[in-house]
Amino acid sequence: MIKRLLLISACFLLVSCGGGSKKGVACDQNYWDGEVGTCLPANWDILNAETLRQRGVPEETIAAFQSSQSFSGQFPTVAVTRERLANVVDAKMYSDASIRSVQVLDGYEHIDTRDITIDDAKISLHVFTGQPIEGEPRRRFYQVSTTVGDTGYTVTAVSPVSINKELEEQLLLILGQVTFKEQVEEE
């Protein structure tokens, strides 16, 4: 549970200030680093490991993406963390435990939970708001957690509490396309 709270706190370190604009939502760039993959919409940047460490993001964070457009003065961010587990854990059980672990956040408020499939495992997409760092604004979180063997992965998107449909679609595209299996491109 402490690791999850650290992850959420770390996501705050990635969210910055600025202005905003609207664009259409579609897959613009496929991302695969040998362990995790997804599809990024236009105007989303891949944050390299050096940038993550300079911002104080924990080593458990293995990938991160950030919108180059701000929304309500914040740059939405998606971070992927990895956790070695003592045993192999069912993906659904890990997902459910992840949801329970964030319910202790200050200001936690459940917004939605829906089924999502990642690499043939049916898990939950959990949408909630919270304020994990005192003095920081409340944020909206979109989170999915799953397992691959004895490794747990959590993908967390952080945005302003109030967002427009376009930003929500971007976040759902990124989380909905997460994979831990290399995709073979058809020729």
Side-chain angles (χ1 to χ4, degrees):
M1 180 170 76
I2 299 293
K3 285 186 179 184
R4 287 198 207 298
L5 295 176
L6 285 173
L7 163 66
I8 290 172
S9 297
C11 288
F12 279 110
L13 296 172
L14 297 173
V15 179
S16 320
C17 296
S21 68
K22 282 196 155 199
K23 298 277 183 205
V25 177
C27 183
D28 185 62
Q29 175 184 2
N30 287 315
Y31 173 83
W32 175 254
D33 66 10
E35 184 171 7
V36 62
T38 192
C39 186
L40 300 173
N43 300 312
W44 278 79
D45 300 318
I46 300 165
L47 300 178
N48 64 41
E50 181 180 329
T51 299
L52 296 175
R53 300 309 156 239
Q54 288 174 351
R55 294 183 183 183
V57 175
E59 293 289 326
E60 291 87 6
T61 304
I62 60 170
F65 317 102
Q66 187 171 56
S67 174
S68 60
Q69 298 177 306
S70 68
F71 295 82
S72 299
Q74 300 171 34
F75 291 91
T77 304
V78 177
V80 182
T81 60
R82 174 182 57 210
E83 164 183 36
R84 296 289 177 210
L85 306 172
N87 300 302
V88 173
V89 177
D90 175 74
K92 179 66 173 154
M93 290 175 58
Y94 188 77
S95 176
D96 292 345
S98 174
I99 291 170
R100 287 189 304 274
S101 74
V102 297
Q103 292 174 342
V104 301
L105 288 174
D106 284 341
Y108 171 86
E109 185 177 324
H110 178 264
I111 295 175
D112 189 22
T113 304
R114 57 184 98 153
D115 290 336
I116 186 172
T117 301
I118 294 179
D119 296 335
D120 301 322
K122 189 177 248 186
I123 58 172
S124 296
L125 168 66
H126 181 212
V127 184
F128 60 98
T129 60
Q131 184 182 8
I133 300 177
E134 189 176 330
E136 291 284 334
R138 290 175 51 80
R139 298 270 174 31
R140 178 183 292 240
F141 298 89
Y142 293 76
Q143 191 170 71
V144 293
S145 295
T146 191
T147 58
V148 177
D150 66 350
T151 304
Y153 294 93
T154 298
V155 184
T156 305
V158 182
S159 73
V161 171
S162 297
I163 62 173
N164 63 32
K165 184 177 181 189
E166 176 201 3
L167 176 56
E168 182 170 56
E169 288 174 356
Q170 290 177 15
L171 297 174
L172 292 174
L173 173 69
I174 296 168
L175 271 68
Q177 296 296 312
V178 166
T179 184
F180 299 95
K181 295 178 181 177
E182 185 169 14
Q183 306 299 305
V184 179
E185 291 188 31
E186 297 180 25
E187 296 183 31

